[in-house]
Structures are given as structure tokens and as C-alpha cells.
Amino acid sequence: MKHDFDVIVVGGGHAGCDAAAAAARAGASVALVTLKLQDLGTMSCNPAIGGLGKGHLVREIDALDGLMGRVADRAGIQFRLLNRKKGPAVQGPRSQADRKLYRAAMTQEITEYQRLTVIEGEVASLVLDGRTLRGVRFGDDAEVTARAVVLTTGTFLNGLIHIGDEKSPGGRMGGRPSIGLAEQIKSMGLATGRLKTGTPPRLDGRTIDWDGLEEQSGDDDPAMFSFLSSGPVARQISCRITHTNERTHDIIRQNLSRSAMYGGHIEGVGPRYCPSIEDKVVRFSEKASHQIFLEPEGLDDPTIYPNGISTSLPQDVQEAYVRSIRGLENVAILQPGYAIEYDYLDPRGLDLTLALKDHEGIFLAGQINGTTGYEEAAAQGLVAGLNAARFALGQDPAQLQRSDSYIGVMIDDLVTQGVSEPYRMFTSRAEYRLSLRADNADQRLTPLGIAWDLVSDARKRAFDAKLERIDAAREILGEISVSSRALNGAGIRVNPDGPRRNALESLALPGAGIGALTQLVPELAGFDPVTLEQIGRDAMYESYLQRQRKDVEALQRDESWEIPGDFRYEDLQGLSAELQGKLKRVKPRTLAHAGRIEGMTPAALTLILAHLRRGERKRA
Amino acid sequence: MDTIFALATAPGRAGVAVVRVSGPAAWTACEALAGRLPRPRLASLCRLHEGGELIDEALVLVFESGSSFTGDPVVEFQTHGSVAVVNRLLAALSRIDGLRPAEAGEFTRRALENERLDLARVEGLADLIEAETEAQRRQAMRLFEGDLGKRVEDWRARLLRAAALVEAGIDFADEEIPQDIWPEVAALVQRLIADFSAEIAGIGTAERLRHGFEVAIVGAPNVGKSTLLNRLAGREAAITSEFAGTTRDVIEVRMDLGGLPVTLLDTAGLRETEDVIEAIGVTRARERAEAADLRLFLGGEDLGISLQAGDILVAPKADLQPGGGGLRVSGRTGEGVDALLAEIQRELSDRLGATQTAVRLRHGEALVRAVTALDSATELLYMPEDVAELIAEQIRQAIRAVDSLVGRIGVEDVLGEIFASFCIGK
């Protein structure tokens, strides 16, 4: 085995895989250390990728040539575009994935990287020289040196699994906790918090009475994650929907005290957007029923993931309430649901590259930073892996911004605000939502990916060709003039006596679509639908995008006020102790960054600005 | 951080002058001049010396940080109101290490930075200092008391509710959230538009109250406009004669009318004239009269100046033409003058909203931005397509506009504007 790498990635989950691959693409020699080889890309929770906000993240990962989009497309057994009836900015691709296909596709992707070595083993500790990383030590005492490490160890810090009043230490079901590394990280003086999350019982699909359950099929026109995929590979299936009922709720209510969560066994904070069935019954007692999506875990796997009833009730209660549900009267539980509590490291200790601020060469990604979800993990992995490689190779940091990507929004949220519940992406977190669309992720990020040497030649060629087509079509549209009468005739709501417009302006009219315009501009028939759709969407949002560009410029003005790392907040008289503490912890890089800190006041910002200006005057 | 000082009272000779010092070195400055540090917030008589020479005997007030106007440690020297004493004291302060003269508005700026005041309250303070009449004082006091800030919190909460309703429908498409949120969103948006519009409508008058109302006296030559002005002003502000066309330029007289700041304008008599100078006067009279808040038409309205709502028709020279109805006034005898003043006061008072909290052009501009965004949202609400993301965007714009009222964003621009209008030492 090689004993020196540029980057070592610890953990082979979603964050670890995309971290290792990004580091390798960026030119580093990489070791990916995982406890079990066959665990690469394991989906430990629900068998689905994408959704609102999350689908955007996957598309952005793909635009930077990351793995998750390609792998999800190969493993996808149902594709749905959420919010299809709403505007394109808030449409999110989502898929059901076959667990085994996903693992296999991920393993294949990883093994194709020449610069990437997978090591099966357990990292027992980091080798540090003061606060600088020198390498890692394995369970068998072997040492490997490296310039940077990416820790993607998920819930392994003080992980505690609850089923009713039974608890056992562990990461996920069947995973073993790495005690040594956890102890070392805890001793490094980083701030931590405690979170919890839950899973539902896994059901045996062969014991479900499927007849009469509402069917939810995939889209006829599936939206893929990867800009390079053309369509699904695996056989496509449907999900079914069933509902809890009053009897289910009665059983849960009668046994509430036996739930780990309600029995007072759990101290961690759970996500508000993903409550357990106990929570739903208690907090929304007026609802007579809650929906459950029965999601197959694979094409040749009978396991069903009942999305919507995560629980920490004892096994016998789980059985009783599940069997009160229509279609599940005789169901067999393959694995009981459980809640897991774990420590996370306060991400406010990280910079925008996800490196620990007061150490050299240590990067963190995924659940360890307080996030939840495969997509959030993979996106962080990509950024951490890329930057670990650039750090090891002596290159400048590569950073994403709130104005260019959901990934930038997420990382900025994490390092600025920290988390108070498991952090999940939503489209409403992105203030530039109308310009950060899933369909234009490549135009936003692939050029950056090319600049950072992350992108393969094949993708670069495809991207350049797409841009050429879009520019060509846009040019034609800009030159062709259309009368209002013709537009009105094509069903677009416009005064027929209005002025002539060029075709691009016409597209921006409310209710105008590329379809209606194609009738009027026959030259467009030569362009592919993807190109035309893209142009139509940009036109639809144009007036909003102009305003957002102004906002971005204002933000960049504030961003241009850099705050030195050694800025002495204690010298600012009148700053509350609380804000002073926050500022010292976060060490905002710029005035705009400081403005996003939770609880920040205009007065405090003015104070910082005034001092920055005073410093500038003195220098000048 | 620097320690700043300035004269806080008006310059010139007076009974007492107050010099204020704010910042970390304020107390040491006090010890250096007074030889001791009096107990905080206890008025103490001290002898101020520099280099063994007595500057003045002064009342000294010391405030701790956190309980002063600026939030810094503060010292106030109340000296005799002599120009020489003040100049000597300021010179002595400037020679103390770490002290420098305050820039315009810097004390208030510190209060803002130290979160003693929000942006709207700072504006209220500026208005309070400028206030000359009772109605101006009341309006400024409302702003200074934080009424606008409280209203902003209420508006913001309602906007956030609307935003949350729309966003929930976007981000939780697969969940069982109530489908029909739109009636509540529409109702919230409509009520906010109504509230904002009411505030916007009152801003013009509130602005007038800050700067003073203009009341123009118009009429044909020699109907007694100048005589009436002199009677109202209580002095010979305008030249009067029996010759038509005596008044050429516009003559202004400021007065406090029952708490309202009013500027009376006496104008040239309106007639066709060959006299070049008089013709210029007539043109000016028309322009100023049209732009005034209120016009008193002496002896008829048919003068080529449009009669606007609230304008008052006055029958002049009541002493020479007895009888007849309406508002009969004589500048010479004073007959009917009290009734006329009461009428002007009533008319202007009616225009002031009792609950107006937004009082500046800046407030109005922000609220107009909010209304524009919410109007667009309303239009989008009735589109056949589902454009939730665009509605959400408009609500977001409205929130930003409302936030700017108390200075949550755009801090820098707004501050520059506000502090430019401040005078040193306030």
C-alpha cells in the first residue's frame, strides 16, 4: 500500500465519495478510507434522491462533474419533477433509487478514478503536528501521511440509537462507531451540539396487500439529474400511497410514554420538517390521517420504505400501529424503525472551503456539520474534496457564493448561521432563487468547474456545444420582429394594436411560451427543445433577473468591505457581549458576511463599517 | 475608539452653555479639568482648570457607558454661556490625549451604533431638535418614541406570514399542506396595501408640517392684501399705500398658528400690466400661489388661479363695505381676523392624520416600493398560471422595503443621507 497521499477522505458515504472523486479530478492523489468496501454510496435512509432544493443541489454537483447525478440516473427506478405546474425556478427533479444499483454504480465510478485508492479500514486518529495535519493512523497502528484530510464520518460522534427505551451506541444500524477518532476530535476543543433523526420500520413488500392502494407513477417525460444523461436505464416502477387512521393514532397515543422521544430518552433536536409519527399525532391531533408513501428499495428487493412514519416506539408498538394501516394488515417488519442521536461539530468553526479555521489541512463534510440528506452531504463533499486537493497542491481556495449556487447558499448558511436543527436545503433559502434554477446549473457552474480543472473533456465539449446552440437561437430571436396582432392570434394575452417586438421580448410576455412562438417563427424549428426551453425560461424571468443582478451588485459592494482576520471586536464599544461572541466565533470575512449572522443589527454593522472606514482613512 | 467633544447648545452668548464629551477618555478628561470625577448622574459644581489657570466654574454631569445618550461614557460641562469661556474649554479639551472635535451628527451616530436608537428614532430626534411649533413637536415625538419601528414590526410580521404561506406551497409540494392558501395571502396583501397607502397619503402633509405650511394671499390690486398680512403678522411687514401695484415681490411672514408652522405669502395684485417689473411680480405671485398649501382669495376667485379644495374666499375691506355674508375681514380694523385665523387653522389641522407614523420622504419612498411590489403580487395572484415563485419574490421585495424604514438594510446609503442633515453637537 502507498503510504503518502495528497488527500485522505475518511468515510465512504455520499459526502466521502464525492469528496474523494472531486479531489482526484482536481489533480490530487487520494485515499478513500471506508470501514467496508461494499458500503460505498450506501443510502442509509430513504431510497430517494433529489426533491425541492435538493434536486437543485444534485444538478449543481453534476455541473461540476460530481458523481451523485450520474449515479442517481443509473440507479433511478422512478423519476418525478416536483412542482411541474409551477415556474421552472421552483421545479425540482426527484427519483426513487434502487439501493443496490446505486451502490454498484457508485463503486464503479470510484474505481474508475486513476488517482483514487480505496482503503478498507478504520482511521483511529489524525496525526497532527500542533494544529497542522500530517496524516492519519489506522486501527492497526499503520500510518499514512497526507497534506489534507476530509472527515465525512456522519453520525459517528456519540451516536446513540433508540428503539423505545432500548438504546445502543452506533452510527447507523449495523455500523460500528469509531471511538478513538471521535475522542480525538472531541479533545480538539471544537464546539458541538446534539441532533436527532429518525427512520421508519422497513416493511416486507411481499406481505403488503397492494390492491386498491393509490398508485403514484413516475413522469412520462422523466427529468434526469445529469446534464449528460439522456434517459432512465433501469426498469421504472410506481410507488403506492396509503394513510394512517384514527386507530393508528390511538395506538400511538396509548404508547407515547414508551417512545424514546416522548419517554424523555432523547435530548437531541429533531428536524421540524420531518417529524416522527409520534410528533405528527401529538402536534397535529386534529388531522384524522397522514399519508404514507410506500417506496420500493429496489427492483429485486422486497424491502419497502414507508415514507412518513419514522418512529422511536418499541418494536411491538411499531408492529401494532403499522398493521392498523390499510394494505399493511398482515405486514412483516424487516427492520424496526429507530431514532438516532448524535453530536455534530458547530460549522461556524469552518471557512467557506469547509476547512477548520484554526487548524491546517482538516476539512469536514456531511452530517458531521449538522446537515441531513444525501444531497447536502455530497455537495459539501465536493467542495471539501476540491479544496482539500487545492490546499494540498498549493492552489488558491475555490469558493461558491450565495449568488451563484445553492451549494454556495448552504455553505454560507452553515458557516455563518450554524444550525439549530438538522440543516436541509429548501428553495426558499436562496434569495436569488429565480436565477438559481435546476435547468441552468451547468451555465452557472460548469465554467467554474472548467477553471478549477474539475470537468472532463466530454462534459466540456457538450457544454460548449449547448452554449453555442443557445447563443445562435437567441441571436435569431433577437433579429425577428413580431407584431402584437400575430402574438394575440397565437393566444398570447397582448393588445393586438400594441407595438412590434422582437421575438426575444415577446417571449417575456406573460403566458407566452416557446411553443406559441415557434408557430410564429418557423426558423426556430431547427433548434432542439432543450435549447428553446432554456431561452424561454430566461426570458420569462428577465425583468426579475435584472433586479436580482442589482441586488447581487449591492451585495458585492458590501462583500468588498473585507474584515481582517485579526479584527478586534472587543475594541468596538457598545457591541453587546452576545454579538461580540458571535462575531469572534464566526470571524466574518466581509461586511456582507457579518450581516448574515443571526441576530446581527444594523447598528452593529454600522459600527464595524465605521471602523473599517477609519482604518482605510488611516492607511490612505 | 476616539473620544469626541462639541458644544451641544447653540453658539453665542447665553445663560448657560453645554459642552458634551463622549468616549472612553471622557472621564479622564473630566478628572484632568475638574481635578475629580463627580458621582455619575449627580450634578456637581466644579472649578475647571488648565495649566493652573481657572477656566470657569461649571456644573458637571457624568454618565456611565450604557446609561448615557450615546451609550459611551459621557461628561457634560455646563459652563457660563460666554463665547470666550466655551472657546477656552474646547481648546483645553482638544489638548487632552485621545480627544478630538466631533464630526457633524457624530453623537447621534454613536447612539445608533450603540443601539440606543434605531434609524427612525434618529430621524425623530432630528425633527424634534428642529421643531418650532407644538404640532411639529408632537409629530417628531411620535417618531422619536419609536412608533414607526413598532408599526414596521407589525407590517413585517404580516408580510412574513404571507411569504410563509406562499413558500410552504413551493417547498413542500409533496406534503399535505392546505391547498387553498391564496385567499389568506390575497387578504393580507390587500390590507397591507391599504395600510401603506394611508401612510403614503399622509406623508405630504407630514412633510409640510416639518417644513411649514404656505398660505398665499391672492387678489386683484389694491383689495387690501398687504394690510391684511400686516394685521395677521402683527407688524408692518409689507408696505401699504393707496396706489394699486405697490407690492411687487413675494413677502413671507413666518408664524405659529395654534401650533402649526405657517408661512404667509403676500403677493402682487393680479392684473394685466405694461410695467415690466410689476409683470414679473404677477408671474411670481401666480407660481407661488399655485404651489402653496392654501390660498386666501380676497374679493373673488376669478383671477386666473385655480381654486383648490380647502381654499378660503374672503370678502375684504369689511369696514368700508358693511353688510353681506361670508367671511368678512378688515385688515385695517381687525374685524373678522380671528375668524379667518381659526378657519386657516381648522383647514390645515384637518389635513394632519392623528396616527401618521411615516413622516419623511424617505419613508414614503420605501412604502411606495412596498406598494409597487404588492400591487404586482396582486396582479400575479389573478394570473391563470401558477406563478407562486414570482409572488414570493414580490413579497420579498416588500419586506426589504419595509425593513429599510428602520435601517435593516441599505445601512450605508441611508445613514449618509441622515447624517448629512445633522448639525454638530446634537
Side-chain angles (χ1 to χ4, degrees):
Chain A
M1 188 174 88
K2 234 180 106 174
H3 287 283
D4 179 73
F5 294 90
D6 292 322
V7 176
I8 294 173
V9 177
V10 185
H14 301 278
C17 286
D18 255 306
R25 286 202 302 285
S29 64
V30 185
L32 170 59
V33 186
T34 175
L35 292 173
K36 282 192 237 149
L37 279 179
Q38 65 266 34
D39 275 358
L40 287 181
T42 293
M43 310 180 106
S44 50
C45 193
N46 63 324
I49 299 283
L52 294 161
K54 288 166 170 279
H56 289 75
L57 286 175
V58 181
R59 284 235 150 187
E60 292 178 357
I61 292 168
D62 186 69
L64 295 167
D65 224 356
L67 306 182
M68 179 167 263
R70 298 203 289 269
V71 170
D73 282 345
R74 279 166 67 186
I77 53 178
Q78 186 201 62
F79 291 87
R80 284 197 308 130
L81 184 63
L82 302 187
N83 277 342
R84 195 176 268 275
K85 291 200 182 105
K86 291 192 167 70
V90 293
Q91 293 175 359
R94 182 187 191 277
S95 76
Q96 294 297 141
D98 179 306
R99 266 181 216 285
K100 275 187 225 154
L101 290 178
Y102 194 94
R103 272 206 307 266
M106 185 57 87
T107 306
Q108 195 197 337
E109 285 278 354
I110 291 285
T111 49
E112 277 173 9
Y113 279 90
Q114 301 296 321
R115 278 190 288 262
L116 201 170
T117 310
V118 181
I119 300 173
E120 188 175 48
E122 180 185 352
V123 169
S125 61
L126 304 177
V127 180
L128 296 174
D129 176 2
R131 291 180 171 269
T132 304
L133 181 96
R134 296 288 179 222
V136 302
R137 186 175 294 117
F138 284 84
D140 60 2
D141 266 354
E143 266 190 38
V144 173
T145 55
R147 254 65 64 210
V149 67
V150 184
L151 295 176
T152 69
T153 45
T155 58
F156 86 125
L157 285 176
N158 290 337
L160 196 57
I161 287 176
H162 298 263
I163 304 177
D165 54 7
E166 288 170 36
K167 47 184 141 181
S168 54
R172 60 173 172 258
M173 252 348 209
R176 49 184 166 143
S178 322
I179 304 291
L181 183 57
E183 289 299 325
Q184 185 188 19
I185 288 174
K186 272 189 282 177
S187 72
M188 283 162 63
L190 306 167
T192 63
R194 198 148 178 82
L195 297 173
K196 71 130 194 162
T197 184
T199 65
R202 310 299 166 88
L203 309 178
D204 185 340
R206 291 163 301 193
T207 59
I208 295 177
D209 179 7
W210 295 99
D211 282 347
L213 293 184
E214 182 191 337
E215 182 176 345
Q216 186 182 50
S217 54
D219 292 345
D220 294 335
D221 168 27
M224 310 305 289
F225 288 111
S226 175
F227 288 96
L228 300 182
S229 300
S230 49
V233 183
R235 178 164 61 83
Q236 300 296 291
I237 53 97
S238 292
C239 295
R240 305 256 171 183
I241 300 172
T242 184
H243 295 86
T244 62
N245 53 51
E246 284 296 1
R247 203 154 63 79
T248 320
H249 299 179
D250 283 342
I251 296 169
I252 291 164
R253 267 191 286 266
Q254 280 155 21
N255 290 283
L256 266 187
S257 61
R258 299 181 64 198
S259 152
M261 221 174 54
Y262 281 87
H265 299 289
I266 290 183
E267 41 180 301
V269 182
R272 281 168 306 174
Y273 46 81
C274 187
S276 65
I277 187 64
E278 294 98 296
D279 252 352
K280 290 184 185 176
V281 168
V282 171
R283 285 175 35 210
F284 305 99
S285 56
E286 72 284 359
K287 281 196 78 172
S289 110
H290 299 277
Q291 64 180 357
I292 305 168
F293 292 90
L294 299 173
E295 304 176 347
E297 298 211 344
L299 293 174
D300 62 351
D301 183 343
T303 312
I304 297 295
Y305 186 97
N307 203 346
I309 51 168
S310 77
T311 183
S312 61
L313 285 159
Q315 195 163 353
D316 59 311
V317 184
Q318 295 188 23
E319 245 157 51
Y321 87 69
V322 167
R323 288 181 177 165
S324 73
I325 295 167
R326 184 162 168 234
L328 309 183
E329 293 86 351
N330 299 305
V331 82
I333 290 181
L334 296 173
Q335 183 192 302
Y338 60 90
I340 174 166
E341 274 190 287
Y342 55 96
D343 285 348
Y344 69 95
L345 298 178
D346 186 341
R348 286 174 292 191
L350 303 171
D351 65 21
L352 278 185
T353 68
L354 296 177
L356 276 177
K357 277 192 257 195
D358 47 8
H359 287 74
E360 288 275 301
I362 303 178
F363 295 78
L364 304 178
Q367 261 177 310
I368 193 171
N369 289 338
T371 64
T372 173
Y374 311 139
E375 305 81 356
E376 288 84 352
Q380 290 171 65
L382 190 152
V383 170
L386 165 64
N387 279 288
R390 295 179 70 86
F391 174 80
L393 301 174
Q395 297 166 337
D396 290 340
Q399 297 175 350
L400 293 168
Q401 316 290 336
R402 298 189 76 86
S403 50
D404 62 30
S405 60
Y406 276 77
I407 302 179
V409 170
M410 171 175 66
I411 291 177
D412 188 68
D413 280 350
L414 290 174
V415 306
T416 307
Q417 318 265 7
V419 301
S420 52
E421 66 181 327
Y423 180 97
R424 179 184 143 179
M425 186 42 78
F426 299 112
T427 70
S428 47
R429 293 195 195 272
E431 55 272 56
Y432 308 117
R433 178 165 64 188
L434 299 182
S435 48
L436 305 184
R437 306 195 306 268
D439 66 86
N440 67 9
D442 55 345
Q443 288 164 66
R444 292 184 280 118
L445 298 183
T446 301
L448 285 174
I450 292 169
W452 293 331
D453 282 336
L454 271 183
V455 172
S456 71
D457 285 344
R459 183 181 295 268
K460 184 177 180 309
R461 276 195 303 276
F463 175 70
D464 288 344
K466 180 178 170 183
L467 273 196
E468 265 173 41
R469 287 196 302 275
I470 291 177
D471 287 345
R474 204 167 263 149
E475 205 179 318
I476 290 181
L477 284 166
E479 284 166 359
I480 290 173
S481 141
V482 189
S483 73
S484 291
R485 192 163 299 279
L487 287 168
N488 186 277
I492 296 166
R493 294 190 300 273
V494 61
N495 180 356
D497 300 321
R500 291 183 77 83
R501 296 172 171 81
N502 75 37
L504 212 49
E505 292 161 352
S506 308
L507 262 180
L509 293 169
I514 199 84
L517 213 69
T518 318
Q519 299 169 28
L520 302 175
V521 186
E523 292 89 335
L524 289 180
F527 288 94
D528 61 298
V530 175
T531 302
L532 295 179
E533 193 172 51
Q534 186 87 68
I535 292 171
R537 290 172 167 189
D538 285 340
M540 166 181 176
Y541 288 130
E542 184 50 34
S543 61
Y544 293 87
L545 298 184
Q546 277 172 9
R547 192 164 63 194
Q548 290 203 338
R549 276 193 286 271
K550 274 192 209 140
D551 290 352
V552 171
E553 278 163 22
L555 179 74
Q556 278 161 352
R557 268 203 306 279
D558 276 0
E559 291 283 7
S560 71
W561 281 103
E562 282 185 24
I563 305 176
D566 57 356
F567 193 84
R568 290 175 56 82
Y569 294 100
E570 53 272 29
D571 289 352
L572 298 191
Q573 280 225 8
L575 202 59
S576 72
E578 191 198 345
L579 272 182
Q580 200 180 92
K582 275 186 183 166
L583 285 161
K584 278 186 182 166
R585 217 170 28 249
V586 177
K587 294 200 180 78
R589 307 168 312 285
T590 62
L591 192 66
H593 186 191
R596 290 191 295 274
I597 294 172
E598 192 195 347
M600 186 56 57
T601 61
L605 281 181
T606 320
L607 198 55
I608 298 171
L609 179 62
H611 274 72
L612 291 173
R613 279 183 161 169
R614 202 160 294 160
E616 183 136 296
R617 273 207 296 274
K618 271 181 199 148
R619 271 202 307 278
Chain B
M1 184 178 190
D2 295 342
T3 297
I4 54 175
F5 64 89
L7 177 65
T9 44
R13 203 164 59 180
V16 176
V18 178
V19 171
R20 186 186 269 161
V21 187
S22 174
W27 287 13
T28 42
C30 173
E31 279 181 291
L33 295 177
R36 66 185 177 106
L37 187 70
R39 267 175 57 199
R41 284 175 288 152
L42 194 72
S44 313
L45 192 62
C46 298
R47 291 162 71 85
L48 307 180
H49 288 88
E50 192 200 30
E53 190 188 349
L54 181 65
I55 301 172
D56 191 14
E57 207 174 45
L59 208 54
V60 178
L61 270 167
V62 171
F63 301 90
E64 301 115 313
S65 69
S67 52
S68 68
F69 163 64
T70 59
D72 294 339
V74 163
V75 176
E76 282 182 12
F77 299 101
Q78 303 189 0
T79 66
H80 293 102
S82 132
V83 176
V85 165
V86 167
N87 285 344
R88 183 62 211 276
L89 177 55
L90 294 175
L93 284 168
S94 70
R95 284 190 281 267
I96 297 176
D97 229 20
L99 267 64
R100 63 166 174 83
E103 291 164 18
E106 202 172 0
F107 287 103
T108 313
R109 185 174 196 122
R110 290 222 170 153
L112 186 76
E113 288 172 350
N114 292 336
E115 295 175 42
R116 307 286 295 175
L117 300 172
D118 72 20
L119 206 47
R121 295 193 59 196
V122 167
E123 290 170 327
L125 178 62
D127 287 353
L128 191 61
I129 289 167
E130 296 288 336
E132 289 175 358
T133 73
E134 178 60 14
Q136 285 177 321
R137 186 195 63 77
R138 273 200 302 270
Q139 173 169 300
M141 205 63 210
R142 277 204 301 272
L143 193 56
F144 181 60
E145 278 291 282
D147 279 16
L148 184 58
K150 281 177 223 150
R151 201 160 282 199
V152 164
E153 281 312 310
D154 170 55
W155 289 333
R156 196 161 196 276
R158 287 151 66 192
L159 282 166
L160 287 178
R161 167 77 189 162
L165 285 168
V166 179
E167 296 288 0
I170 291 173
D171 264 334
F172 300 95
D174 252 7
E175 313 268 343
E176 295 169 298
I177 60 148
Q179 288 303 301
D180 210 12
I181 53 143
W182 298 115
E184 187 181 346
V185 174
L188 280 164
V189 167
Q190 287 325 304
R191 277 200 300 275
L192 282 162
I193 290 176
D195 284 6
F196 293 162
S197 303
E199 286 286 345
I200 293 167
I203 280 175
T205 318
E207 266 285 317
R208 301 310 298 169
L209 178 55
R210 292 180 55 232
H211 299 298
F213 294 96
E214 282 188 354
V215 176
I217 306 172
V218 295
N222 219 6
V223 292
K225 297 184 292 299
S226 297
T227 310
L228 178 60
L229 176 87
N230 289 345
R231 170 63 68 175
L232 293 170
R235 63 189 168 90
E236 293 292 312
I239 301 166
T240 55
S241 76
E242 69 265 38
F243 302 110
T246 303
T247 303
R248 299 288 175 90
D249 219 340
V250 178
I251 294 169
E252 304 188 8
V253 173
R254 274 182 81 79
M255 58 187 294
D256 179 338
L257 193 56
L260 299 173
V262 170
T263 302
L264 287 172
L265 308 177
D266 181 22
T267 60
L270 301 167
R271 65 169 173 185
E272 295 295 327
T273 172
E274 298 294 313
D275 183 329
V276 181
I277 306 292
E278 192 187 351
I280 294 172
V282 169
T283 308
R284 273 191 197 171
R286 283 192 211 284
E287 282 168 4
R288 288 296 295 272
E290 292 278 4
D293 297 287
L294 189 65
R295 281 146 295 278
L296 308 182
F297 282 85
L298 259 61
E301 55 183 279
D302 188 20
L303 299 161
I305 293 178
S306 48
L307 184 73
Q308 296 174 33
D311 285 352
I312 299 169
L313 297 175
V314 181
K317 296 187 176 174
D319 51 328
L320 303 179
Q321 293 151 14
L327 195 52
R328 292 164 41 77
V329 172
S330 164
R332 192 178 340 225
T333 64
E335 181 188 342
V337 165
D338 286 346
L340 176 61
L341 286 175
E343 181 62 19
I344 296 170
Q345 191 185 332
R346 189 194 55 73
E347 173 56 36
L348 295 178
S349 299
D350 280 356
R351 299 185 188 180
L352 291 174
T355 58
Q356 186 71 24
T357 46
V359 296
R360 289 187 163 227
L361 282 179
R362 185 182 76 81
H363 304 158
E365 283 161 9
L367 289 172
V368 166
R369 282 204 305 280
V371 168
T372 308
L374 293 182
D375 279 343
S376 306
T378 308
E379 215 170 289
L380 292 164
L381 275 165
Y382 294 102
M383 296 248 307
E385 295 88 5
D386 185 342
V387 286
E389 82 278 24
L390 299 182
I391 296 169
E393 182 65 26
Q394 298 293 0
I395 296 175
R396 225 179 260 208
Q397 291 296 331
I399 292 174
R400 292 172 62 118
V402 165
D403 275 351
S404 74
L405 285 174
V406 287
R408 236 174 246 160
I409 52 154
V411 180
E412 222 197 316
D413 300 343
V414 182
L415 284 181
E417 183 73 37
I418 287 169
F419 288 108
S421 68
F422 261 82
C423 193
I424 197 161
K426 284 174 185 168

